[in-house]
Amino acid sequence: MKLNIVPAARGMQWVKLGFRTFMKQPLALAALLFMYATIALMLLVIPLVGPLLVSAMVPIATLGLMAASRVAEGSGFPMPTILFTAFRANRERIRAMLVLGAIYAAMVVGIESLVALMVPIPTDGKTLQDVFESQAFGTSLVLSAAMYLPVSVLFWHAPALVHWHGVPPVKSLFFSAVACLRNARAFLVYGLVWFAIIVAIVAASALAAAVSPWLSGVVFGAGSTIVTIAFYVSIYFTFRDSFLDDDNPGVTP
């Protein structure tokens, strides 16, 4: 396995591959994402440890969706069990994936705790709408996003490296960060294209609101759902093109 450097234009291709692969198996891939969301919601109701379990599940679910994307790319049908691909390995790799999930959960909790200390959000005597519209809430969202970005870079390729290449958890974080930084131009294009798509959906929803609020909701709901699924599908292609091995000759050796 070795790092592959791709041109900036590859970022656009990753987005296209996400949509193209989604269209091959739209129902199966949508069902997998909703299945993941349902499991996450069920875990959230568990007192105290629920949010931790949801966070720890993210690398496992990411790998499952990547595996499903690989199957769908070949026009195969990803079965529901593929979401648990992380557990279809030897004990060492399962243990490594659980460690990766624990590290991810610890980082997320650390970010949330630090943001809460830096930007306290007053809730006494205020409605939920007042809290959401407050300046403190907006500041906390921006700060959380900024602090989560390096965590995202660390974990972007890590689940696949652990499961498919047997890389230890801590090393997988390092390799993931290096791959993302070395392909920063492609990832910049990738992010900008997704941002433009989101803006287009919001604009289309606003235009539809002039016709009917119901139509606006349909446009936004359907558009955001499709984009979310295509985004998760595209993650597999960012990994496939960033690392080379005997089974993956790459796009730009």
Side-chain angles (χ1 to χ4, degrees):
M1 180 189 70
K2 64 179 181 179
L3 177 64
N4 185 45
I5 308 301
V6 299
R10 194 63 186 172
M12 172 69 80
Q13 189 64 21
W14 289 337
V15 177
K16 291 180 180 179
L17 287 169
F19 282 104
R20 189 180 304 165
T21 304
F22 165 69
M23 293 307 298
K24 289 184 177 181
Q25 294 291 349
L27 295 180
L29 292 170
L32 284 172
L33 188 61
F34 284 124
M35 179 179 171
Y36 166 40
T38 301
I39 294 173
L41 288 173
M42 291 173 63
L43 291 175
L44 275 176
V45 302
I46 301 176
L48 299 178
V49 298
L52 289 175
L53 292 175
V54 172
S55 295
M57 182 185 173
V58 170
I60 296 170
T62 300
L63 175 68
L65 293 171
M66 290 176 71
S69 302
R70 184 164 68 169
V71 171
E73 183 196 15
S75 299
F77 185 86
M79 300 298 291
T81 53
I82 203 168
L83 190 62
F84 307 102
T85 295
F87 299 108
R88 296 160 62 182
N90 57 44
R91 290 184 179 181
E92 183 179 354
R93 295 195 181 187
I94 293 175
R95 189 181 304 113
M97 188 64 70
L98 293 176
V99 170
L100 194 66
I103 296 173
Y104 182 85
M107 287 187 174
V108 170
V109 170
I111 290 173
E112 292 176 350
S113 301
L114 188 58
V115 170
L117 288 173
M118 295 174 65
V119 188
I121 301 176
T123 57
D124 295 340
K126 294 188 176 182
T127 65
L128 195 59
Q129 183 177 356
D130 291 336
V131 172
F132 287 160
E133 293 177 351
S134 66
Q135 183 178 358
F137 183 77
T139 302
S140 67
L141 285 181
V142 173
L143 189 58
S144 296
M147 296 177 69
Y148 180 76
L149 182 59
V151 175
S152 177
V153 169
L154 288 170
F155 282 88
W156 193 267
H157 300 303
L161 289 170
V162 167
H163 181 78
W164 283 323
H165 294 281
V167 179
V170 176
K171 283 187 177 181
S172 74
L173 299 177
F174 173 75
F175 291 160
S176 175
V178 170
C180 290
L181 293 175
R182 292 294 300 276
N183 283 315
R185 292 184 304 166
F187 275 100
L188 177 61
V189 172
Y190 177 74
L192 290 175
V193 173
W194 283 119
F195 179 75
I197 292 173
I198 293 171
V199 170
I201 291 175
V202 173
S205 177
L207 290 174
V211 179
S212 165
W214 176 84
L215 180 61
S216 175
V218 170
V219 170
F220 183 80
S224 58
T225 299
I226 292 172
V227 168
T228 300
I229 299 169
F231 169 75
Y232 275 103
V233 171
S234 70
I235 293 175
Y236 165 69
F237 298 102
T238 68
F239 169 76
R240 186 196 66 179
D241 291 347
S242 295
F243 295 92
L244 304 181
D245 55 31
D246 294 337
D247 298 324
N248 173 24
V251 293
T252 55

